[in-house]
């Protein structure tokens, strides 16, 4: 599951990296920026069309079929009784909230607080997403080998430190470099959370818990920017780095609370942590 998780989320971040360039091109040509959403709409329709053919012959495995006496509601109840699942839910909500709140409000922050020239903010945002994609490629195996808890907690501490740097940096190149490294260290966190939770639950509950975890992450990606927008409307968008710093620290602390993997063999070393 570990390689598949990384492959899935990697292509998602590549798309996020390309999106600011499309918006920038539309804006520079005098096209309303919201016309951009026709691109993901068209892609969504295309994917929906093809999925009927791709999954037309799919059959549930025997252990997942209703005849096995393992209902969806029963698996849900069992999933919600696992403490590690609740830790995973909290971490994934925070991780998605950090990533997407920063993505949604970064341009506004750079323009209003950092006096970034018009047309430059989308490139800095693209640099952030490029860092996320690169981090997921280059840090996937090292973070898994070092150990889930120490590696991810360290990455989040580095992310928090970089948010502090972003708070104080005033130059455009400094902001761009800081954001790229922030994305680089933040990149592996989301798939690592999913992998960490999936490794600590019974195989029969893995699909259910992973689905719930991803769903709650998407809720975090929607609610996070919304809540920040309400608060920023009162106190100002300048609180963006500080807010992200606090959320990253909370997520790092939650990683330290994750229990040892009961299914890891004694020879696995740090991976069992």
């Amino acid at each position: 599951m570990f390689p598949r998780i990384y492959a899935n989320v990697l292509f998602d971040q590549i798309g996020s990296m390309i999106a600011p360039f499309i918006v920038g091109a539309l804006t520079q040509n005098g096209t309303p920026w919201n016309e951009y959403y026709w691109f993901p709409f068209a892609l969504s329709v295309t994917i929906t069309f093809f999925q009927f053919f791709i999954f037309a012959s799919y059959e549930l495995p025997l252990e997942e079929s209703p005849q096995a006496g393992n209902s969806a509601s029963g698996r849900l109840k069992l999933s919600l009784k696992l403490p590690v699942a609740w830790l995973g839910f909290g971490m994934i909500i925070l991780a998605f909230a950090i990533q997407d709140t920063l993505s949604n409000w970064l341009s506004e922050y750079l323009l209003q607080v950092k006096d970034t020239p018009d047309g430059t903010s989308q490139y800095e945002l693209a640099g952030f997403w490029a860092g996320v994609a690169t981090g997921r490629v280059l840090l996937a195996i090292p973070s898994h080998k070092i150990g889930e808890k120490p590696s991810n907690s360290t990455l989040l501490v580095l992310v928090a430190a970089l948010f502090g740097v972003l708070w104080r940096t005033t130059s455009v190149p400094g902001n761009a470099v800081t954001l790229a490294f922030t994305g680089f260290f933040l990149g592996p966190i989301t798939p690592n959370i999913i992998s960490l939770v999936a490794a600590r639950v019974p195989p029969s509950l893995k699909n259910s818990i992973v689905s719930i975890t991803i769903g709650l992450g998407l809720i975090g990606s929607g609610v996070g920017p919304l809540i920040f927008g309400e608060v920023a409307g009162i106190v100002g968008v300048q609180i963006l780095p500080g807010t992200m710093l606090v959320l990253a620290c909370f997520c790092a602390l939650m990683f330290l609370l994750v229990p040892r993997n009961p299914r890891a063999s004694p020879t696995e070393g740090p991976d069992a942590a």
Side-chain angles (χ1 to χ4, degrees), residues 177-236:
V177 172
T178 301
L179 287 167
F181 275 103
T182 301
F184 180 75
F185 293 123
L186 185 62
I189 298 301
T190 299
N192 281 353
I193 293 171
I194 299 172
S195 177
L196 179 147
V197 173
R200 286 166 169 76
V201 299
S204 61
L205 300 178
K206 185 175 296 185
N207 290 340
S208 299
I209 290 182
V210 169
S211 299
I212 297 170
T213 303
I214 295 174
L216 290 173
L218 295 175
I219 291 176
S221 70
V223 174
L226 179 64
I227 295 176
F228 179 83
E230 293 297 323
V231 177
I234 300 172
V235 300

Side-chain angles (χ1 to χ4, degrees), residues 86-109:
W86 287 99
L87 279 172
F89 298 160
M91 290 188 295
I92 202 73
I93 289 172
L94 287 176
F96 270 87
I98 293 169
Q99 181 176 278
D100 291 295
T101 301
L102 181 65
S103 178
N104 278 271
W105 287 94
L106 181 60
S107 293
E108 189 77 10
Y109 171 78

Side-chain angles (χ1 to χ4, degrees), residues 234-247:
I234 300 172
V235 300
V237 75
Q238 72 273 5
I239 64 170
L240 179 63
T243 304
M244 300 299 100
L245 188 157
V246 172
L247 294 181

Side-chain angles (χ1 to χ4, degrees), residues 28-183:
Q28 290 176 4
N29 288 300
T31 306
W33 65 269
N34 53 4
E35 294 292 332
Y36 156 77
Y37 289 101
W38 286 108
F39 288 97
F41 175 76
L43 289 173
S44 299
V45 172
T46 303
I47 293 171
T48 302
F49 175 77
F50 280 110
Q51 75 173 355
F52 289 106
F53 299 95
I54 295 172
F55 297 103
S57 59
Y58 176 77
E59 295 182 1
L60 284 172
L62 181 60
E63 65 172 12
E64 298 291 336
S65 63
Q67 289 80 5
N70 193 14
S71 66
S73 60
R75 292 196 300 271
L76 177 61
K77 291 178 181 178
L78 290 174
S79 300
L80 297 179
K81 293 180 180 179
L82 299 174
V84 69
W86 287 99
L87 279 172
F89 298 160
M91 290 188 295
I92 202 73
I93 289 172
L94 287 176
F96 270 87
I98 293 169
Q99 181 176 278
D100 291 295
T101 301
L102 181 65
S103 178
N104 278 271
W105 287 94
L106 181 60
S107 293
E108 189 77 10
Y109 171 78
L110 293 173
L111 292 171
Q112 288 191 16
V113 181
K114 300 293 186 177
D115 294 324
T116 301
D118 292 340
T120 303
S121 61
Q122 71 260 26
Y123 298 113
E124 296 187 34
L125 177 59
F128 166 76
W129 285 113
V132 171
T134 305
R136 287 184 177 170
V137 172
L138 299 181
L139 297 179
I141 295 177
S143 63
H144 192 63
K145 292 294 183 182
I146 294 171
E148 296 162 325
K149 292 166 65 174
S151 63
N152 288 292
S153 297
T154 301
L155 289 173
L156 284 164
V157 169
L158 291 172
V159 168
L162 286 166
F163 280 128
V165 173
L166 179 65
W167 204 344
R168 305 301 301 174
T169 304
T170 56
S171 68
V172 172
N175 292 331
V177 172
T178 301
L179 287 167
F181 275 103
T182 301

